Amino acid sequence: MDRGSSESFDRMGTIGVEEECFVVDANGRPTSGTDELVYEHDPPEILVDRLDHELFKCVIETQTPLIEDPARVGEALREVRRALVDHADAHGYGIAAAGLHPLARWRELERAEKPRYRSQLDRIQYPQHRNTTAGVHVHVGVDDADKAVWIANELRWYVPVMLALSANSPYWNGFDTGLQSARAKIFEALPNTGMPTYFEDFESFDRFERRMVDGDAIADRGELWYDVRPHTGHGTVEIRTPDGQADPDVVLAFVEYGHALVEDLAAAYEDGARGRARDHRREVLDENKWRAIRNGHEATLFDRDLEGTIDLGELVDRECERLGVDGIRRVYERESGAERQRRLLEDPGVDGLCADLELRPE
């Protein structure tokens, strides 16, 4: 089985964005539509080989082309979204985005028949049967395998920041969970998810990946579903943390931040920081992630040195100044996705909430 290799890591700073979205009916409710959209009709050209489905027939995934110039990310993301919305509309469907669709009831939804997913359902059982999640994955190219593993290690502290900012899934299976990102908690029930441990170098990660495949723990490298990982096939560091978002500007804020983090850490690695890695205990990083899940924009996290705590707002200001980005500040200053969903469900009600989650052509 081709697991990827160190030779895949040969380009620095390229970007790719994967988005998981919900196929919905005329009333904005999740419905089985991926057979028609993925298999039965040819998609628009930009989606050829970049359109697939997930476990449920109401969850569809897109990928942007490889983006060499960060300035083109917005154009590429919007072009892919327009193509998906047009493709769905032509066949009587809409497209919605959130970490979880508030009306997706897993017992009532059809699951995909692809052998990969049937095998996962048989092997994993209940946690996978209820996995109606949808997220955003950001790939950033790295030109050296050991560097990619080091960057992924360092990014572990940052992924709860992105999760807190992206929190957009308060409802699951028809009820209010009391969480800001229930998606993250639902997804963590699967094996090989959540906060990864520290890996010394690429050889260590490659040995782990090989052991998992050879030991039949996973069918392929794609089933290492951690919040951040070196992707040995694409030659990227993949950030898998944010909830799905209807607003492309929110997605682009995470792309900007993720790209800036990877570039900054790559420069630090080249300047000698590789010998000063932060081998944070996973338990403390898990606590930060839990605070993001529970509190969203109101989260207070353990700081980078784990010596104290810092409010998300102060942290966002600090990161924007340090990295020269501003998208995540705008995300923080606006109403969070979870807060917005709760407000809309109260008034105007469920129809208004469903309509708000739909992607609109731009």
Side-chain angles (χ1 to χ4, degrees):
M1 179 182 296
D2 177 18
R3 294 187 301 103
S5 73
S6 60
E7 295 178 359
S8 299
F9 297 90
D10 60 2
R11 290 172 295 188
M12 190 68 222
T14 58
I15 298 172
V17 184
E18 299 171 355
E19 291 192 278
E20 296 164 346
C21 297
F22 296 96
V23 180
V24 295
D25 62 20
N27 296 313
R29 274 58 169 176
T31 190
S32 297
T34 55
D35 282 353
E36 285 189 64
L37 299 181
V38 176
Y39 297 119
E40 296 175 13
H41 300 282
D42 292 334
E45 183 177 356
I46 194 172
L47 294 179
V48 173
D49 297 326
R50 300 191 185 99
L51 183 70
D52 206 345
H53 62 83
E54 290 295 323
L55 172 67
F56 285 89
K57 291 186 177 182
C58 65
V59 181
I60 199 162
E61 179 185 82
T62 61
Q63 305 169 5
T64 63
L66 181 69
I67 303 164
E68 304 274 359
D69 180 2
R72 288 204 62 252
V73 172
E75 176 187 347
L77 183 75
R78 287 183 168 87
E79 187 178 0
V80 166
R81 282 179 160 226
R82 280 194 299 270
L84 177 61
V85 170
D86 290 346
H87 182 49
D89 181 67
H91 300 288
Y93 298 105
I95 300 293
L100 295 164
H101 196 287
L103 298 187
R105 297 177 181 270
W106 62 269
R107 290 180 179 88
E108 301 170 4
L109 296 169
E110 287 188 79
R111 296 175 183 88
E113 296 162 11
K114 183 186 284 190
R116 171 185 175 84
Y117 293 123
R118 305 310 300 180
S119 173
Q120 289 175 5
L121 287 167
D122 183 61
R123 174 162 46 91
I124 299 172
Q125 290 293 317
Y126 171 69
Q128 185 70 324
H129 277 272
R130 66 176 192 162
N131 182 25
T132 57
T133 62
V136 175
H137 304 160
V138 180
H139 289 262
V140 182
V142 179
D143 58 1
D144 175 82
D146 285 333
K147 186 193 299 184
V149 172
W150 188 88
I151 289 171
N153 286 335
E154 294 292 302
L155 281 173
R156 294 180 306 152
W157 182 82
Y158 294 94
V159 292
V161 178
M162 290 197 195
L163 179 58
L165 288 167
S166 77
N168 190 27
S169 51
Y171 300 108
W172 177 70
N173 210 37
F175 69 92
D176 191 330
T177 64
L179 307 177
Q180 310 304 303
S181 175
R183 176 201 63 85
K185 210 61 189 168
I186 297 299
F187 194 71
E188 275 186 353
L190 300 179
N192 310 305
T193 57
M195 192 68 66
T197 56
Y198 172 89
F199 289 94
E200 292 79 8
D201 51 25
F202 181 79
E203 181 181 356
S204 173
F205 181 81
D206 184 61
R207 187 165 57 247
F208 166 72
E209 187 180 82
R210 182 173 61 250
R211 181 178 297 121
M212 296 294 280
V213 171
D214 292 347
D216 293 327
I218 58 176
D220 54 61
R221 63 175 180 265
E223 292 185 355
L224 295 177
W225 295 309
Y226 298 111
D227 292 335
V228 58
R229 66 183 182 185
H231 195 296
T232 59
H234 294 326
T236 62
V237 170
E238 182 185 7
I239 300 166
R240 301 170 45 82
T241 311
D243 279 0
Q245 308 288 330
D247 187 339
D249 288 335
V250 179
V251 175
L252 292 171
F254 299 133
V255 176
E256 177 191 45
Y257 184 43
H259 184 263
L261 282 171
V262 171
E263 291 279 9
D264 180 73
L265 289 167
Y269 179 88
E270 295 294 343
D271 288 343
R274 69 188 76 178
R276 302 190 302 275
R278 299 173 189 260
D279 184 8
H280 290 328
R281 288 191 63 91
R282 187 174 63 182
E283 294 87 345
V284 181
L285 299 175
D286 279 340
E287 172 63 19
N288 268 0
K289 184 179 179 184
W290 163 247
R291 293 179 181 205
I293 288 170
R294 176 65 184 87
N295 301 310
H297 284 199
E298 303 301 316
T300 297
L301 306 175
F302 284 108
D303 65 22
R304 191 77 175 87
D305 296 323
L306 308 185
E307 297 295 331
T309 60
I310 183 170
D311 291 341
L312 183 64
E314 180 182 351
L315 176 55
V316 166
D317 284 340
R318 186 179 300 178
E319 286 293 275
C320 287
E321 182 175 348
R322 183 177 74 89
L323 296 171
V325 299
D326 59 5
I328 57 170
R329 180 183 285 117
R330 292 194 298 272
V331 172
Y332 175 74
E333 290 175 347
R334 65 190 284 177
E335 183 180 38
S336 77
E339 291 167 344
R340 183 180 179 87
Q341 285 196 41
R342 289 188 170 107
R343 175 175 60 80
L344 290 173
L345 183 60
E346 185 173 340
D347 183 22
V350 67
D351 290 338
L353 171 56
C354 288
D356 189 69
L357 297 179
E358 291 197 48
L359 274 59
R360 309 295 179 192
E362 294 188 19

